[in-house]
Amino acid sequence: MALKKVKGNLERIFDKNLTDLVRGLRNNKDNESKYIAQCIEEIKVELRQDNAAVKANAVTKLAYLQMVGYDISWAGFNVIEVMSSPKFTHKRIGYLAASQSFHADLEMLMLTTNMIRKDLSSQNQYEAGVALSALSCFVSPDLARDLSNDIMTLLSSTKPYLRKKGVLMLYKIFLKYPDALRPAFPRLKEKLEDPDPGVQSAAVNVICELARKNPKNYLSLAPVFFKLMTTSTNNWMLIKIIKLFGALTPLEPRLGKKLIEPLTNLIHSTSAMSLLYECINTVIAVLISISTGMPNHNASIELCVQKLRILIEDSDQNLKYLGLLAMSKILTTHPKSVQTHKDLIMRCLDDKDESIRLRALDLLYGMVGKKNLMEIVKKLMVHMEKAEGTTYRDELLTKIIQICSQNNYQHITNFEWYISVLVELSRVEGLSHGSMVASQMLDVAVRVHAIRPFAVEQMSLLLENPYAIFGMALGSARPPSMIQVLYAAAWICGEYCTFLSNPKKTLLGMLDSRMVQLPHNIQSVYLQNCLKVLAHLLPSQSKGPPATANLLTNGTEEGESEDLPDQNAKENEDSAVEPEKINLAEIQEYLKPFISSEELEVQERAGCLNNFIKCYVKLESKGQVDDFGELSKELANAFSSELNPVASKAQKKVPVPEGLDLDAWINDPPSDSEEETTETTDVFVKTHTAADFGSNLTEKKKVPELSEEELGKMREARKQEQNLNPHYLKSSSKPTNSKLVNWSDDIPPVEKLDLSVPLQIPTLASSDKYLQESKQKSSKSKKEKSSSGKKKKKKKTKGKESEEEEEDVEIEAETVHVVNTVIEMPEGATLSDTEESALAFDDPHRALDIDLDIPLDPPPEVAKTKASRKSDPNYIKKSKEKPKEVEVTNSETHEEVVVEPSVNSIKKTKSSDSKNKSHKKHKKHGKKEKKSKQSDANDDNLLIEME
């Protein structure tokens, strides 16, 4: 034996320890995997030795390799062997490796139950502490069930170290084994009053974590926590308690009355920013609760807002972010208190940190009203032009749309302004939310009936000049996302084509040959709405009256021919007699590129439109005017029905038919071998990218390069043409200062042209015009109110706040357009804007939703004895029949005693009826008083205990 020990000690001299392993890894960076494999083989040899120190050294190296990223699950039994070592230094190494490599689903954990139980009952508190620390990392439901009683016994230990560790471990036990919560809760509640502050803080942390998901079960602990909040000086524990009160206040609103004063005192006195933030959050939660029954605590709100302003103005970015976050919570209930700090929030938009800018945008979302909507949106659009970064610019666009569209556009008074804003947003470069802008255009056009003529006018301008408006004339590499606005423009012009001033021009604009280069979904919508516009024009062509004939011409609009001079009037009379008809053959020529498109849907829509035109051409060639007119009317009626907006959740409300499995495969799923052999080829459809989109525009506009001689000849010819042209302004010679030239003699007199038709050039509307109009209206209303206020006597009001509210109501902007709020839903379905917020299905806190006030069930031993009694035939059961009564008179008290033999109980009745009746009346009256007092006492128990 002695020789073996000496031999083992000599071998240990040459073993590699952790330091050698780390040094070897640094020296073998090129062949790291080879070196690791060699080390693992050496570790396996060391684990097979009998020396415990050698095994502990091997497990130490395995723990390091696991940190580096190598799997050591194969050494689980060796780790358990080191955990069971009697030496503390070895045991600590084993538990460290177990906490890193073990998990709750490991099957070999059943081998550790008795070993951990033995360590928990050890006299060395550090052995129990190491076992608890490791157990928290790999505890399983079986371990939690078997070791819950052993951990609860640690709560009554004389050593604060073990009590604190045991309290913290209970939280992990509750998550894995929820049935342990109810028997352990009384002991956990006692630890809230433990003399050791560490144990007390641990108990507060555990209960606060449990109450974070299920606060109603811990409402009875409010007096204890209130006492801790008013007496403790530990900031971290105060933060936990104040968070818990923030969750309990909505459940018991009267609790807020008691919390306001200590919380405001903490806000005034504390210098810790973390505690200040939590106090403000809880004050907000108290005041947000609807059924508090408290008066308006404006002083508390103003205090919170002032403190938050200090946080926002701080140079620390984290404090600034938290201040903006808390300010957004106050905004929901007290918007006026936050709106006074609008300048500070607007300054945050220029901050370097993008998260702070986004949080400031969220605040602006709640500060918007009918009076300041146009002003705030204008500032955001100016800020968008200066901002850098595509993601932030996209977020600005999203926030502008959310601000304007919130609550069914309740803050928008003039939708012409909003349409112009959307058009301006579609022209901003560097944005990628074209589909969002398009959906807003569609939604406004469908919901607001009065805005449709203006919307059609603006959308027709987009359709007629898409390349000039979007800056794509020279084939710029603009991302195709903002081009999605043309999707909405085409649909609006087609659906409401009766408002088009020149429908033929719009029709030909959508069929332009350059539109083939647009994305395929936009081409499909173009063709579909070309059919709508054509269906609107053909009935007028079949009748051919002079009144509607002008709609089919290229240049003039309806009613323009009445006020022209005589010569033009004659020409218009001739054109009225023989109006210019739609050239259907020309439209068919325009359709040829679409018919040969690579996209199947574009082919189908173009083919359908071409076949419709063929039918019209055949009827017209045969001279069947009546059939031609009827067919055009039927086609127009097909698109005449009104479309209502559909609810966003309508698709979710549609019930799934019986027998339909949406998750089942329609066809057999492809096998893995087929997927490997098949290659994706563009047979029918060719995918386009943004680069292809830009290159298609440039390929057709390639200009041949000219030589220098040709360029020189072109310059000379241009100069000679300029010299010979009398209307070209030449450059003047050197100015003479001595002589003053009188130019008034050479200027011909200006004559006014008598134009009956105004020269109107259609242009896109600007949102600045509507902003100036709103400012002028508001200034006029203020002047009128001030003038009327001087003449009339001011009525007495209770305070300045009521006067300000009346002013806001009176100066409120007038709504020009009305929004249609009727939306379509499936039959029997109701609209639910908010979904019930519940815990996730796999959340372990769902099982911890236990009413802790209900007493525990009887122990299993008592239940077993009751069951054995019921199964015993000799056991006498209570009979359901009424027992016979035997009256016996007591000689001493003169009372009648009723004996029930089966139950062996005695009922006494008074002999005197008068005393009996009076006694019963007093008894009933006393019971009623007791019940009423008890109900009132139960309601005020929490508040009395807190006092």
Side-chain angles (χ1 to χ4, degrees):
M1 291 296 293
L3 291 174
K4 286 184 179 181
K5 287 183 180 180
V6 172
K7 185 179 179 181
N9 293 331
L10 290 174
E11 289 177 353
R12 286 186 59 193
I13 297 174
F14 301 101
D15 289 341
K16 292 181 181 178
N17 55 12
L18 181 60
T19 307
D20 298 330
L21 177 64
V22 174
R23 189 181 294 115
L25 282 173
R26 292 177 180 175
N27 295 331
N28 294 274
K29 291 183 179 179
D30 297 333
N31 299 320
E32 181 178 340
S33 58
K34 184 178 180 181
Y35 179 76
I36 291 293
Q38 181 182 354
C39 291
I40 289 176
E41 292 299 327
E42 294 175 358
I43 290 170
K44 289 181 179 179
V45 174
E46 293 174 359
L47 290 174
R48 287 195 291 267
Q49 295 185 12
D50 297 332
N51 196 333
V54 176
K55 291 182 179 178
N57 184 34
V59 171
T60 305
K61 291 188 284 186
L62 285 175
Y64 179 77
L65 291 177
Q66 196 274 338
M67 293 179 188
V68 176
Y70 292 91
D71 183 25
I72 64 168
S73 59
W74 52 271
F77 289 102
N78 303 107
V79 172
I80 293 175
E81 187 178 359
V82 176
M83 288 166 60
S84 61
S85 176
K87 198 172 183 180
F88 176 70
T89 54
H90 299 166
K91 188 184 293 291
R92 183 175 59 181
I93 293 171
Y95 276 114
L96 173 63
S99 63
Q100 292 180 196
S101 59
F102 287 4
H103 53 86
D105 298 329
L106 201 62
E107 295 181 356
M108 64 179 68
L109 287 180
M110 58 185 298
L111 304 175
T112 63
T113 304
N114 293 326
M115 180 184 61
I116 294 175
R117 181 181 286 118
K118 179 182 177 183
D119 290 335
L120 292 178
S121 59
S122 175
Q123 297 296 325
N124 187 355
Q125 62 176 354
Y126 298 110
E127 289 185 0
V130 167
L132 288 172
S133 299
L135 180 62
S136 63
C137 298
F138 57 81
V139 60
S140 63
D142 294 334
L143 283 176
R145 183 189 65 245
D146 297 336
L147 299 175
S148 58
N149 292 328
D150 299 286
I151 294 172
M152 278 191 281
T153 55
L154 294 177
L155 301 184
S156 57
S157 175
T158 57
K159 300 173 182 178
Y161 176 79
L162 291 179
R163 294 202 303 272
K164 182 178 68 173
K165 288 273 189 178
V167 168
L168 294 173
M169 186 61 209
L170 280 178
Y171 179 67
K172 292 285 188 177
I173 295 295
F174 296 155
L175 292 179
K176 296 295 182 179
Y177 183 57
D179 293 339
L181 175 59
R182 185 174 291 175
F185 184 70
R187 291 192 181 184
L188 185 61
K189 185 178 177 181
E190 292 174 359
K191 298 301 139 186
L192 292 173
E193 300 176 357
D194 195 273
D196 186 75
V199 178
Q200 197 178 46
S201 179
V204 169
N205 285 331
V206 171
I207 293 178
C208 288
E209 284 299 316
L210 292 172
R212 187 166 56 90
K213 297 291 183 72
N214 304 305
K216 62 181 179 180
N217 300 327
Y218 304 92
L219 190 59
S220 59
L221 298 178
V224 181
F225 283 116
F226 186 82
K227 182 180 178 183
L228 289 174
M229 186 181 69
T230 53
T231 56
S232 177
T233 57
N234 186 354
N235 285 341
W236 295 113
M237 191 168 71
L238 286 175
I239 288 172
K240 287 285 185 180
I241 294 172
I242 291 170
K243 276 186 176 181
L244 177 61
F245 276 129
L248 294 179
T249 302
L251 302 175
E252 181 57 50
R254 292 179 299 172
L255 190 61
K257 298 178 182 179
K258 298 291 180 182
L259 292 174
I260 287 292
E261 184 178 353
L263 287 176
T264 51
N265 292 335
L266 281 173
I267 292 173
H268 279 294
S269 60
T270 186
S271 59
M273 291 298 180
S274 56
L275 182 58
L276 174 65
Y277 175 73
E278 292 301 334
C279 290
I280 292 173
N281 265 343
T282 306
V283 169
I284 296 168
V286 168
L287 298 177
I288 282 177
S289 55
I290 300 173
S291 59
T292 52
M294 297 186 298
N296 293 328
H297 284 272
N298 293 323
S300 302
I301 288 295
E302 291 298 329
L303 175 63
C304 293
V305 172
Q306 290 174 4
K307 293 291 184 180
L308 289 177
R309 186 180 180 93
I310 295 173
L311 292 179
I312 295 172
E313 291 176 345
D314 197 279
S315 59
D316 189 357
Q317 298 293 86
N318 295 324
L319 295 178
K320 187 179 292 187
Y321 182 85
L322 291 175
L324 292 171
L325 184 63
M327 194 80 82
S328 62
K329 296 179 182 178
I330 298 179
L331 186 65
T332 56
T333 54
H334 297 79
K336 290 185 178 179
S337 300
V338 181
Q339 285 175 358
T340 56
H341 304 277
K342 185 173 66 174
D343 56 341
L344 177 64
I345 296 166
M346 293 298 293
R347 267 187 276 140
C348 291
L349 291 176
D350 299 327
D351 197 276
K352 296 179 181 179
D353 192 351
E354 187 174 347
S355 60
I356 292 175
R357 286 180 288 175
L358 296 177
R359 187 56 61 188
L361 285 176
D362 293 337
L363 272 173
L364 289 176
Y365 176 81
M367 296 171 62
V368 168
K370 289 185 178 180
K371 294 185 297 181
N372 59 1
L373 173 63
M374 293 184 181
E375 182 182 358
I376 290 178
V377 170
K378 180 62 180 176
K379 290 181 179 179
L380 290 178
M381 293 180 70
V382 172
H383 181 66
M384 183 188 296
E385 295 177 358
K386 301 176 182 178
E388 297 178 357
T390 56
T391 55
Y392 179 62
R393 290 161 68 91
D394 290 338
E395 189 65 28
L396 275 171
L397 184 144
T398 305
K399 195 58 63 176
I400 288 173
I401 291 177
Q402 288 177 356
I403 286 172
C404 296
S405 63
Q406 59 177 320
N407 297 330
N408 289 328
Y409 312 98
Q410 66 171 356
H411 299 309
I412 297 179
T413 57
N414 192 342
F415 278 92
E416 291 184 4
W417 165 82
Y418 187 44
I419 290 291
S420 61
V421 167
L422 292 175
V423 173
E424 289 177 8
L425 289 175
S426 65
R427 300 177 62 187
V428 177
E429 296 182 359
L431 299 179
S432 59
H433 282 312
S435 57
M436 185 182 296
V437 177
S439 65
Q440 281 294 295
M441 290 178 175
L442 293 172
D443 193 48
V444 171
V446 172
R447 285 175 176 265
V448 187
H449 297 273
I451 201 62
R452 289 173 183 173
F454 180 79
V456 169
E457 177 188 353
Q458 297 296 309
M459 297 302 109
S460 62
L461 292 175
L462 292 179
L463 292 177
E464 292 166 8
N465 305 299
Y467 288 87
I469 291 174
F470 287 97
M472 299 182 298
L474 299 177
S476 62
R478 180 184 178 87
S481 178
M482 293 310 294
I483 304 175
Q484 296 297 326
V485 174
L486 297 176
Y487 181 101
W491 189 91
I492 292 171
C493 290
E495 186 66 24
Y496 310 113
C497 55
T498 54
F499 299 108
L500 284 171
S501 59
N502 196 341
K504 184 178 179 181
K505 186 178 180 181
T506 305
L507 176 64
L508 296 178
M510 287 191 288
L511 293 175
D512 191 358
S513 59
R514 294 178 297 176
M515 301 306 155
V516 182
Q517 300 168 0
L518 291 174
H520 296 144
N521 62 332
I522 298 178
Q523 293 183 41
S524 303
V525 176
Y526 267 41
L527 294 171
Q528 179 68 18
N529 289 278
C530 283
L531 180 60
K532 295 180 183 178
V533 177
L534 190 63
H536 169 66
L537 289 175
L538 286 175
S540 60
Q541 181 173 348
S542 62
K543 295 178 183 178
T548 59
N550 291 326
L551 288 174
L552 308 179
T553 60
N554 288 325
T556 59
E557 293 183 358
E558 199 173 65
E560 288 182 356
S561 61
E562 296 178 0
D563 301 328
L564 290 174
D566 296 336
Q567 295 178 357
N568 295 332
K570 291 180 181 179
E571 294 176 1
N572 287 326
E573 285 177 2
D574 297 335
S575 64
V577 175
E578 295 181 0
E580 181 184 355
K581 295 183 180 181
I582 301 174
N583 191 350
L584 298 179
E586 182 184 2
I587 295 176
Q588 286 181 323
E589 288 294 327
Y590 279 122
L591 286 175
K592 286 183 179 179
F594 295 99
I595 294 174
S596 59
S597 174
E598 299 170 349
E599 181 67 21
L600 295 178
E601 187 175 0
V602 176
Q603 290 182 21
E604 181 183 2
R605 292 181 186 271
C608 291
L609 181 57
N610 190 28
N611 290 329
F612 275 121
I613 294 174
K614 284 182 180 178
C615 293
Y616 282 112
V617 171
K618 285 182 180 180
L619 292 174
E620 191 177 11
S621 62
K622 292 180 181 179
Q624 300 176 357
V625 181
D626 295 336
D627 295 340
F628 182 83
E630 290 179 2
L631 185 60
S632 60
K633 287 180 181 179
E634 291 295 332
L635 184 60
N637 292 332
F639 303 109
S640 61
S641 59
E642 184 73 16
L643 293 177
N644 292 326
V646 181
S648 59
K649 297 181 180 179
Q651 187 65 37
K652 296 180 181 179
K653 303 290 183 179
V654 176
V656 179
E658 295 182 1
L660 176 62
D661 187 6
L662 297 176
D663 297 328
W665 284 84
I666 298 176
N667 297 322
D668 295 334
S671 60
D672 296 336
S673 60
E674 292 179 0
E675 290 180 357
E676 293 176 358
T677 55
T678 56
E679 295 180 357
T680 57
T681 56
D682 296 335
V683 180
F684 297 104
V685 182
K686 183 179 179 182
T687 56
H688 290 280
T689 60
D692 297 335
F693 182 78
S695 63
N696 291 335
L697 296 174
T698 56
E699 284 176 359
K700 292 189 176 183
K701 297 190 176 182
K702 287 183 179 179
V703 180
E705 296 181 359
L706 300 176
S707 62
E708 294 182 358
E709 295 179 358
E710 293 175 348
L711 289 174
K713 291 179 181 180
M714 292 175 64
R715 285 196 205 96
E716 291 177 359
R718 187 172 65 253
K719 288 179 181 180
Q720 187 176 2
E721 183 182 357
Q722 291 173 1
N723 293 329
L724 296 175
N725 189 0
H727 301 288
Y728 186 80
L729 297 177
K730 283 86 173 176
S731 60
S732 60
S733 59
K734 294 182 179 180
T736 56
N737 297 327
S738 59
K739 296 180 180 180
L740 296 175
V741 181
N742 188 8
W743 294 99
S744 60
D745 298 336
D746 299 335
I747 297 175
V750 178
E751 293 183 2
K752 294 183 178 180
L753 297 175
D754 187 12
L755 293 177
S756 58
V757 180
L759 296 174
Q760 293 182 355
I761 300 174
T763 56
L764 294 172
S766 175
S767 60
D768 297 337
K769 178 182 70 173
Y770 302 100
L771 179 60
Q772 293 174 0
E773 290 177 358
S774 65
K775 287 181 178 179
Q776 292 175 0
K777 288 181 181 179
S778 61
S779 61
K780 285 181 181 180
S781 61
K782 287 181 181 179
K783 288 179 181 178
E784 291 175 359
K785 186 180 178 183
S786 61
S787 60
S788 62
K790 292 178 181 178
K791 295 177 182 179
K792 297 180 181 180
K793 294 181 179 180
K794 294 183 179 179
K795 295 182 180 181
K796 294 182 180 181
T797 55
K798 294 182 180 180
K800 295 181 180 179
E801 297 175 1
S802 59
E803 291 179 2
E804 292 177 357
E805 290 177 0
E806 289 176 1
E807 289 179 2
D808 294 339
V809 174
E810 290 177 2
I811 304 175
E812 193 70 36
E814 297 179 357
T815 303
V816 180
H817 305 106
V818 180
V819 182
N820 181 19
T821 57
V822 179
I823 55 178
E824 293 186 354
M825 289 286 291
E827 294 182 1
T830 57
L831 182 63
S832 57
D833 292 335
T834 56
E835 301 290 342
E836 295 183 359
S837 59
L839 296 176
F841 181 76
D842 55 348
D843 194 339
H845 292 84
R846 289 175 64 93
L848 293 175
D849 190 6
I850 302 170
D851 191 359
L852 300 172
D853 296 332
I854 298 175
L856 287 169
D857 295 334
E861 297 178 358
V862 179
K864 286 181 181 179
T865 54
K866 289 183 178 180
S868 61
R869 284 179 181 177
K870 289 181 181 179
S871 60
D872 189 2
N874 298 324
Y875 177 69
I876 301 173
K877 301 180 181 178
K878 292 182 181 180
S879 61
K880 295 182 180 179
E881 297 178 357
K882 292 183 178 180
K884 295 181 179 180
E885 299 178 354
V886 181
E887 295 183 0
V888 180
T889 304
N890 192 349
S891 59
E892 295 179 357
T893 58
H894 300 284
E895 295 177 348
E896 295 179 356
V897 180
V898 181
V899 181
E900 297 179 353
S902 62
V903 189
N904 296 327
S905 61
I906 300 175
K907 293 182 179 178
K908 297 183 178 181
T909 56
K910 296 289 182 181
S911 58
S912 56
D913 296 337
S914 60
K915 289 182 180 180
N916 190 8
K917 290 179 181 179
S918 62
H919 179 69
K920 286 182 179 179
K921 286 181 180 179
H922 288 297
K923 197 171 183 181
K924 287 180 181 179
H925 183 65
K927 285 182 179 179
K928 288 180 181 178
E929 288 182 353
K930 284 181 181 179
K931 286 181 180 180
S932 62
K933 289 179 181 178
Q934 188 176 0
S935 62
D936 295 336
N938 290 335
D939 293 338
D940 298 330
N941 270 343
L942 290 175
L943 303 179
I944 290 170
E945 290 180 13
M946 288 167 64
E947 291 174 355

